[in-house]
Amino acid sequence: MNKKMIAAIVGASLTVGVFGLGAGGAFASDKAGVTGKIVAEAAPKPPKGARAVVQVSPNPTAKRGEELTITGHCGGGKGLKAVVSGAYGGVPSLENIRIIDDNPKKFVAKATLSHKIGNGVGPVFVDCGGEAGVTLLVTHV
């Protein structure tokens, strides 16, 4: 993945996150006069090219060198091609990244948390051959 692709994914993810979460839920009392229930509205579908879904477990993580599992689906992409952590020349949070199963419907990869990482939040990107996704990894080391 190049820097322009990463920037586009981050921008699309932030747009979906801000608008999807900010406008996606409201108290039912605002809509139907019922107190205490939450009504979830459908978030807008991410743009083509940013439809892969990725999760990292455990997240948050607290141990340098710990093995993490990256799972998800490719959202129409051809299969898991790469997992990338860190952005714009920052310290990569993941090392020794291995794709275990590249199945586009349910991929699995393994990696270890870098010994150079500190406390914070960093992106984990997946490239699924036509679709990409991003999630945030939280570290408390």
Side-chain angles (χ1 to χ4, degrees):
M1 274 196 241
N2 62 34
K3 288 183 182 182
K4 286 183 181 181
M5 185 175 182
I6 291 172
I9 294 167
V10 171
S13 298
L14 290 175
T15 300
V16 170
V18 169
F19 292 112
L21 295 176
F27 283 102
S29 61
D30 295 342
K31 297 194 178 214
V34 178
T35 306
K37 291 187 179 181
I38 296 177
V39 175
E41 295 177 6
K45 191 173 184 179
K48 181 137 181 65
R51 294 185 181 164
V53 174
V54 59
Q55 299 89 31
V56 178
S57 180
N59 190 10
T61 185
K63 189 175 176 186
R64 291 181 179 111
E66 179 177 20
E67 183 170 79
L68 304 174
T69 303
I70 300 105
T71 58
H73 66 80
C74 288
K78 297 176 180 154
L80 184 62
K81 306 295 182 203
V83 176
V84 179
S85 67
Y88 303 109
V91 175
S93 54
L94 301 178
E95 298 175 336
N96 192 26
I97 299 169
R98 304 161 319 277
I99 295 174
I100 306 300
D101 185 355
D102 65 354
N103 183 342
K105 293 184 180 179
K106 186 171 180 168
F107 61 75
V108 177
K110 298 278 187 175
T112 53
L113 187 63
S114 173
H115 288 282
K116 299 176 184 176
I117 203 75
N119 294 330
V121 177
V124 175
F125 301 97
V126 293
D127 175 2
C128 280
E131 298 290 341
V134 64
T135 193
L136 295 175
L137 174 63
V138 179
T139 57
H140 299 288
V141 293

